[in-house]
Amino acid sequence: MKLANRIEITVFSYPDERSDLISEGIVRLMPFSLAVEKLIIEKTTASGFNQKSITIFCVVLAKEAHTSKFLKSILSLLSSNDKSTLMGQLDSRIGEDLNFYLRIVL
């Protein structure tokens, strides 16, 4: 069963944060090897508040095998209480674009 059409993992980083550790965190979050699956972490730069530069890290999962494995992995990390909380917050986590938003702190 297809659980998601597309998953986009986005991380925002300030100049004083270590890019290498952020990339490592994204890699650890994946239940498969990005290199083997030929997926890349794209980096772009933007202006944040007060014109401070921020780096945006992004990985897009578009294949069903990737999205399913990723969602199953994330769900396995959540307690039943966490899952109940998410279900209770569905209205505030689904945007007008019908995307589901979840913030993960590692």
Side-chain angles (χ1 to χ4, degrees), residues 55-103:
T55 302
I56 303 167
F57 298 79
C58 184
V59 176
V60 175
L61 308 178
K63 292 184 179 179
E64 183 177 354
H66 297 152
T67 60
S68 293
K69 283 181 186 177
F70 181 78
L71 286 176
K72 287 176 184 176
S73 174
I74 291 296
L75 287 172
S76 74
L77 298 174
L78 299 175
S79 69
S80 57
N81 188 41
D82 292 335
K83 292 174 189 174
S84 294
T85 299
L86 282 175
M87 293 301 291
Q89 298 174 346
L90 278 181
D91 287 342
S92 66
R93 292 190 175 275
I94 297 178
E96 290 180 18
D97 50 7
L98 298 180
N99 287 329
F100 178 77
Y101 294 92
L102 179 64
R103 182 177 183 162

Side-chain angles (χ1 to χ4, degrees), residues 13-25 43 57:
S13 168
Y14 295 104
D16 61 337
E17 296 177 312
R18 290 187 46 195
S19 293
D20 59 328
L21 293 180
I22 292 169
S23 293
E24 287 174 21
K43 293 182 192 178
F57 298 79

Side-chain angles (χ1 to χ4, degrees), residues 30-69:
M30 299 297 152
F32 44 78
S33 166
L34 292 178
V36 169
E37 297 299 324
K38 298 182 179 151
L39 296 168
I40 59 167
I41 300 172
E42 294 183 20
K43 293 182 192 178
T44 57
T45 304
S47 292
F49 295 110
N50 299 324
Q51 302 303 317
K52 290 185 179 180
S53 177
I54 59 171
T55 302
I56 303 167
F57 298 79
C58 184
V59 176
V60 175
L61 308 178
K63 292 184 179 179
E64 183 177 354
H66 297 152
T67 60
S68 293
K69 283 181 186 177

